[in-house]
C-alpha cells in the first residue's frame, strides 16, 4: 500500500517539485498551504510522514510542529522540517519543536527522496513513549 505524505508548504514551486518527486515514487501526496489547514488535515488524514516548511505565513513551522505533536494520533509521525534557514541553531530549534529531521532548501532532486525515506526506517521504532 502506498504511503501518504502530507506536505505543508506555501511556496507553489517547492510544492510542485516535492509532489513530482514523491508521486513519481508512488507516494500519495496531500498538501496544505498554511499551518492551520495543515494541522487540520494531519488530524483527519493521519499521514505516514509530514514534510513541514518552516517559513509559513501566520503560524511558522516551529509552531505547527509543536501543535502537531500535541495530537496523540501524531505523536510518532515523522515530521521533517524543510527550510532555507541556514542559521546555526535552526536544526536544533526544529528538533525541539518536535521535528525528527531537517532537509535544507533548495531541494536537491537527487538526494531528496533518500532523505525522506530515511525517516521511514529510523523513526518507526516503538521506543518512543508519550
Ligand atoms: Mn515557505
Amino acid at each position: 500500500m502506498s504511503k501518504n505524505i502530507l506536505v505543508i508548504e506555501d511556496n507553489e514551486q517547492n510544492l510542485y517539485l516535492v509532489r513530482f518527486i514523491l508521486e513519481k515514487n508512488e507516494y500519495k501526496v496531500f498538501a496544505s498551504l498554511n499551518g492551520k489547514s495543515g494541522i487540520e488535515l494531519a488530524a483527519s488524514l493521519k499521514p505516514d510522514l509530514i514534510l513541514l516548511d518552516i517559513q509559513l505565513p501566520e503560524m511558522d513551522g516551529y509552531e505547527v510542529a509543536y501543535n502537531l505533536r500535541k495530537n496523540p494520533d501524531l505523536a510518532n509521525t515523522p515530521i521533517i522540517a524543510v527550510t532555507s534557514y541556514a542559521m546555526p541553531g535552526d536544526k536544533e530549534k526544529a528538533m525541539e519543536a518536535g521535528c525528527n529531521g531537517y532537509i535544507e532548501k533548495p531541494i536537491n532532486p537527487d538526494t531528496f527522496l533518500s532523505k525522506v525515506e530515511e525517516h521511514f526506517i529510523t523513526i518507526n521504532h516503538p521506543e518512543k513513549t508519550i
Side-chain angles (χ1 to χ4, degrees):
M1 207 176 83
S2 70
K3 287 187 159 72
N4 292 336
I5 297 183
L6 172 61
V7 183
I8 305 174
E9 167 67 79
D10 67 321
N11 181 293
E12 289 188 20
Q13 280 178 309
N14 282 327
L15 181 57
Y16 181 89
L17 178 60
V18 166
R19 186 190 285 279
F20 179 81
I21 295 167
L22 294 173
E23 287 183 345
K24 200 175 149 197
N25 290 279
E26 295 177 6
Y27 290 98
K28 201 164 178 205
V29 176
F30 297 80
S32 286
L33 296 169
N34 64 70
K36 187 172 180 287
S37 67
I39 291 164
E40 288 167 5
L41 187 54
S44 58
L45 183 66
K46 300 181 185 71
D48 297 294
L49 182 141
I50 298 169
L51 287 164
L52 176 62
D53 180 24
I54 294 298
Q55 290 167 289
L56 290 167
E58 294 166 43
M59 189 188 291
D60 71 21
Y62 301 119
E63 195 179 345
V64 175
Y66 179 75
N67 277 278
L68 291 169
R69 287 295 183 225
K70 286 202 289 194
N71 182 341
D73 287 341
L74 303 173
N76 295 312
T77 306
I79 301 173
I80 307 176
V82 183
T83 178
S84 53
Y85 284 157
M87 299 289 285
D90 284 342
K91 185 176 180 180
E92 289 71 21
K93 204 173 161 188
M95 299 307 201
E96 277 167 27
C99 295
N100 303 99
Y102 186 91
I103 296 175
E104 275 181 28
K105 288 179 185 173
I107 289 158
N108 181 343
D110 296 329
T111 58
F112 181 75
L113 185 71
S114 64
K115 286 187 175 183
V116 170
E117 290 184 333
E118 278 173 17
H119 293 273
F120 287 126
I121 301 160
T122 57
I123 303 302
N124 290 334
H125 293 298
E127 67 209 10
K128 202 175 216 175
T129 52
I130 300 163

